[in-house]
Amino acid sequence: MANREALRELQTRLASRLQAARDEATSVSSWLAAESAGSSYLLPLGQSGEIFPWVSVQTVPYTQSWFLGVANLRGGLVGVVDLAGLLGSVVPRTEQALAEASLLAFNTALEVNAALLVDRLAGLRGTDAFVASEPPAKDSPPYFGTTYIDSSGKRWQELNLQILSRHPAFLSISV
């Protein structure tokens, strides 16, 4: 009898510790922080895929200027999208700037063979890294989420990659 109660107590403790670990993991790092053309973005970890260094990209004729072309990432052809260009910033990049940039692939669960070119990755962020937040502006694109403000006053725009990957602007790469 004592063994059964000890086993139940152990199971209860384990279940509560597992739940606490899940809750902590969710609140500790929810986003991958990235910067592009002077703007800061928060990309959901569940929608983000692998991170790659800049590789040679084969240009594709008759496409939007923000669609840089296709690259071979781990043996698969992936469309490379300049995040800053897609969001309206025109930033000429030197070979040195491209060498320091990263390609962030979409999570395979989104079923999009694409990667975003970002200037710099800034680590993982959770809600505890911010002191304030603002809802998206009424005229902002549907893939923009909450804007978070950190303790230094820097604004971080949440970017929903799932909504972005299905948005007509993202899907219309031809000129």
Side-chain angles (χ1 to χ4, degrees):
M1 188 78 143
N3 286 340
R4 281 188 197 167
E5 289 198 27
L7 183 58
R8 270 194 212 121
E9 184 181 318
L10 175 65
Q11 288 175 331
T12 304
R13 279 196 329 254
L14 283 174
S16 65
R17 288 178 71 186
L18 283 171
Q19 185 60 43
R22 271 190 229 118
D23 294 344
E24 184 179 325
T26 303
S27 68
V28 170
S29 57
S30 300
W31 300 288
L32 175 64
E35 296 176 350
S36 192
S39 296
S40 302
Y41 299 99
L42 297 171
L43 310 170
L45 284 177
Q47 299 172 3
S48 303
E50 280 190 76
I51 299 167
F52 298 92
W54 173 255
V55 296
S56 177
V57 173
Q58 181 64 44
T59 60
V60 177
Y62 308 111
T63 58
Q64 300 286 346
S65 60
W66 47 262
F67 187 78
L68 301 178
V70 293
N72 181 348
L73 301 179
R74 290 209 189 270
L77 287 180
V78 174
V80 178
V81 174
D82 179 1
L83 178 60
L86 176 65
L87 299 178
S89 298
V90 179
V91 179
R93 291 195 169 81
T94 63
E95 286 299 319
Q96 177 64 28
L98 286 173
E100 295 171 3
S102 295
L103 297 175
L104 173 66
F106 284 72
N107 189 310
T108 55
L110 298 179
E111 299 179 347
V112 177
N113 287 338
L116 298 174
L117 173 72
V118 295
D119 295 337
R120 186 175 92 75
L121 295 172
L124 299 175
R125 299 286 192 281
T127 52
D128 58 341
F130 304 102
V131 295
S133 63
E134 300 171 353
K138 290 181 181 172
D139 61 342
S140 66
Y143 44 82
F144 274 15
T146 304
T147 299
Y148 292 89
I149 303 161
D150 64 18
S151 59
S152 66
K154 190 172 189 176
R155 301 173 70 80
W156 294 83
Q157 178 64 59
E158 184 179 24
L159 191 64
N160 187 313
L161 297 179
Q162 184 172 16
I163 295 173
L164 174 67
S165 69
R166 294 178 178 31
H167 194 271
F170 181 84
L171 296 172
S172 302
I173 63 169
S174 64
V175 180

